[in-house]
Amino acid sequence: MMMNAAPDYAALRAQVRQFLASEAEAGRFVPKVDSWVRGFSRDFSKRLAQRGWVAMTVPERFGGAGRTHLERFVVAEELLAAGSPVLAHWAAERQVAPMLLRIGTEEQQRRLLPGIVRGESCFAIGLSEPDSGSDLASVRTKAVRVDGGWEITGQKVWTSAGHLADFMFVLCRTSESSERHEGLSQLMVTMSSAGVSARPISTMSGEAEFAEVFFDRVFVPDTDVIGEVGRGWQQVTMELGWERNGPDRYLSTYPLLARFFELEDESLEVQKGRLAAQLIALRALAFETTTKGQEGLDFAADAALVKDAGTRFEQDSVEDVRRSLSSKVADHPELDAHLKAAQFASPTFTIRGGTNEILRTITARRLVER
Ligand SMILES: Cc1cc2nc3c(=O)[nH]c(=O)nc-3n(C[C@H](O)[C@H](O)[C@H](O)COP(=O)(O)OP(=O)(O)OC[C@H]3O[C@@H](n4cnc5c(N)ncnc54)[C@H](O)[C@@H]3O)c2cc1C
């Protein structure tokens, strides 16, 4: 019997690194901190996809490369470390593709996965609402049954790329229930549908990376129900596992740290060593969690832990660099620009994808259950 060869992570990493260097050299992107939220380029996503590096875990029969989540992890690390603009395909490949593979119908998989693999389909994730963020079970966006499908009315907020996306996975209430976690469903909205409108929200840096999205009797056909009607809570819990466990939860500030590591200054050696050691430990934790996801095991609590520890590191690292360099930062213009951008983004690290208080609750509950 032929054994499949073990993936050659080093070779893959070198190929991605080379591609990114040539893209940056040609001026096709300018490295940014927090590029998975602040860098939107459909062209970049398509060029990456042409090399087979978008949604690479999708099987060949749906146009994908059929590679492992660990190989995807290696590619993601390189993309984030280089500060490349990945937002246009990020949610699609990070959580939508794994969800469709796990719970999508065969028809949905055939229809939606090829566009994701080609880097052409941009997805947004519609969970948070004006009065419902941490307490997701209280969502008020409602879908009522109509001939051939559902009609959605309501509002989402803080939706990353909500004003730029082609599709949105919307968590909504499809029936009233005395048990708050029941009666929720996930519907896929095509953003060009009648009744959808989106208003970008500017952050304090002046960028508009997320939006408020409004639904006024938006029709969603039965073919765009994701998973099972009424199982929205369980499905979103699984989806958030994919959202929280990756290198994007500790590498958002890496372009800043890379410039910091390059500085030739003996007084910074201890600080650099401390940051590097923390990064190595976080990476090991995230890699382990991804292995669990790859094996189909329940990894929601592990992913919550990765995100809690990773995003605290991200925030602390910005402060560490600022304190270590103090007035010397002006001597390094590129580092200074990354530092300013990281300071603006920093408060969001521990909020987006679920706040750290909520993540600790998830982890604590799971420990008690064990
Ligand atoms: C950059 C960015 C991108 C985002 N992108 C998306 C997206 O694409 N899609 C999407 O749906 N949402 C998105 N969000 C929204 C994000 O998920 C929510 O902001 C987050 O879940 C918190 O919800 P909230 O803002 O309603 O705060 P609240 O839930 O009102 O929380 C306010 C504070 O109270 C604390 N708190 C609340 N409940 C408890 C509790 N039970 N125990 C202890 N403390 C508690 C929280 O930890 C927080 O500190 C994004 C947010 C940011 C900043």
Side-chain angles (χ1 to χ4, degrees):
M1 192 177 75
M2 285 270 290
M3 293 284 283
N4 279 339
D8 185 347
Y9 297 125
L12 177 61
R13 191 181 292 286
Q15 285 163 16
V16 180
R17 222 172 255 193
Q18 197 179 19
F19 164 74
L20 289 167
S22 68
E23 287 282 301
E25 224 167 89
R28 286 195 279 269
F29 78 87
V30 177
K32 282 183 178 181
V33 291
D34 212 23
S35 67
W36 63 275
V37 175
R38 299 174 56 234
F40 187 94
S41 165
R42 285 184 184 265
D43 286 343
F44 179 84
S45 294
K46 282 183 207 155
R47 284 198 297 278
L48 197 63
Q50 279 160 11
R51 284 156 180 83
W53 294 330
V54 172
M56 52 202 289
T57 62
V58 170
E60 286 171 17
R61 69 180 194 283
F62 300 125
R67 299 178 84 163
T68 66
H69 283 282
L70 297 173
E71 288 171 293
R72 187 259 166 192
F73 187 100
V74 166
V75 173
E77 282 187 316
E78 292 302 318
L79 295 172
L80 298 164
S84 64
V86 292
L87 175 60
H89 70 270
W90 206 244
E93 84 139 19
R94 183 181 61 183
Q95 60 216 83
V96 172
M99 286 293 285
L100 287 172
L101 286 169
R102 194 68 66 83
I103 57 169
T105 63
E106 174 80 16
E107 185 278 325
Q108 285 170 343
Q109 293 171 344
R110 290 195 181 285
R111 176 161 50 101
L112 299 169
L113 288 171
I116 295 177
V117 169
R118 289 195 300 270
E120 291 170 2
S121 303
C122 176
F123 276 75
I125 303 300
L127 303 173
S128 310
E129 299 184 1
D131 296 314
S132 178
S134 301
D135 182 17
L136 265 188
S138 67
V139 294
R140 287 194 296 199
T141 293
K142 207 171 181 170
V144 293
R145 193 82 188 114
V146 293
D147 201 16
W150 296 85
E151 206 173 68
I152 302 189
T153 299
Q155 183 195 340
K156 295 291 170 183
V157 72
W158 318 125
T159 316
S160 297
H163 50 313
L164 304 166
D166 307 304
F167 306 100
M168 190 197 279
F169 270 17
V170 177
L171 180 70
C172 54
R173 188 151 286 289
T174 42
S175 67
E176 293 306 327
S177 168
S178 52
E179 217 296 43
R180 281 161 15 96
H181 299 95
E182 287 172 7
L184 295 168
S185 303
Q186 279 186 298
L187 306 184
M188 188 187 81
V189 169
T190 300
M191 297 301 271
S192 55
S193 306
V196 180
S197 56
R199 208 158 50 198
I201 305 172
S202 289
T203 59
M204 59 183 168
S205 68
E207 294 161 302
E209 56 220 25
F210 47 26
E212 313 178 82
V213 182
F214 302 88
F215 307 99
D216 181 10
R217 301 184 61 187
V218 176
F219 177 69
V220 176
D222 282 326
T223 47
D224 287 350
V225 171
I226 304 300
E228 264 180 68
V229 171
R231 301 249 330 145
W233 181 259
Q234 293 82 349
Q235 293 175 195
V236 159
T237 304
M238 186 202 306
E239 184 190 317
L240 285 170
W242 289 113
E243 181 175 332
R244 290 170 176 159
N245 82 316
D248 32 3
R249 302 307 180 172
Y250 57 88
L251 289 180
S252 300
T253 57
Y254 194 81
L256 167 67
L257 297 186
R259 300 291 83 76
F260 182 67
F261 290 143
E262 282 163 12
L263 296 178
E264 287 183 18
D265 181 338
E266 268 189 27
S267 70
L268 301 174
E269 293 305 301
V270 171
Q271 195 53 23
K272 286 185 196 173
R274 213 165 62 82
L275 288 167
Q278 284 175 290
L279 264 176
I280 290 165
L282 284 165
R283 181 177 188 276
L285 188 63
F287 205 76
E288 185 70 30
T289 305
T290 302
T291 309
K292 267 192 161 178
Q294 164 89 27
E295 289 166 1
L297 302 171
D298 177 5
F299 67 123
D302 309 66
L305 194 61
V306 169
K307 184 178 178 297
D308 178 12
T311 55
R312 271 186 292 136
F313 165 78
E314 288 181 329
Q315 282 182 342
D316 292 348
S317 67
V318 177
E319 253 322 272
D320 280 358
V321 171
R322 188 190 66 75
R323 268 203 230 109
S324 309
L325 289 178
S326 174
S327 57
K328 282 191 261 178
V329 75
D331 304 337
H332 309 284
E334 197 190 349
L335 189 150
D336 190 22
H338 282 324
L339 179 59
K340 288 196 172 97
Q343 283 178 302
F344 276 128
S346 185
T348 71
F349 299 158
T350 50
I351 298 174
R352 60 193 186 197
T355 67
N356 284 25
E357 289 75 20
I358 297 303
L359 300 176
R360 279 170 219 161
T361 307
I362 293 172
T363 312
R365 275 209 190 113
R366 195 54 61 94
L367 285 174
V368 170
E369 283 163 15
R370 276 179 194 157

